[in-house]
Amino acid sequence: MNPKIDKMEIEEPTAIKAWAEGRTIYIELTDSRIIGFPADRFKILSKATDHQLTEVKIRLDGFALRWESLDEDITVPGIVAGNFQLPLQVTS
């Protein structure tokens, strides 16, 4: 490692806003990206009603999403990394 190179501080983006449109969950990140993912990629969310999906809240200083009525938590870093519980369902 080159001692002349300063270590860059890498900050993981966190959520500053979260919302649902239909069966898609969106998060706006601190780095200005907006990421959307299908609720059906998560076991509990796949069984939720569209109304229940709209109840998403940001927790842990933006590191997690929470659905109180479903008792479900999902980490924002996991979403950003594409770590989903269920495979993508392709419909034709």
Side-chain angles (χ1 to χ4, degrees):
M1 188 160 130
N2 187 339
K4 293 182 181 181
I5 298 175
D6 291 337
K7 287 185 178 180
M8 289 178 39
E9 187 174 322
I10 299 173
E11 290 186 31
E12 260 185 305
T14 56
I16 56 174
K17 184 178 178 185
W19 69 98
E21 292 180 15
R23 305 229 27 103
T24 303
I25 310 301
Y26 293 94
I27 55 174
E28 182 178 348
L29 303 172
T30 52
D31 64 7
S32 300
R33 286 183 290 166
I34 295 176
I35 295 176
F37 64 93
D40 295 338
R41 297 294 303 272
F42 291 92
K43 294 174 187 175
I44 292 174
L45 298 184
S46 69
K47 296 177 176 89
T49 66
D50 290 359
H51 177 73
Q52 286 174 312
L53 294 177
T54 66
E55 298 172 344
V56 60
K57 302 289 183 209
I58 297 172
R59 296 286 189 250
L60 299 175
D61 295 324
F63 281 98
L65 302 181
R66 172 80 178 156
W67 287 263
E68 194 67 41
S69 68
L70 301 171
D71 193 25
E72 175 71 325
D73 299 285
I74 299 175
T75 67
V76 171
I79 294 165
V80 172
N83 296 332
F84 302 112
Q85 295 174 332
L86 301 172
L88 181 62
Q89 299 295 320
V90 180
T91 57
S92 49

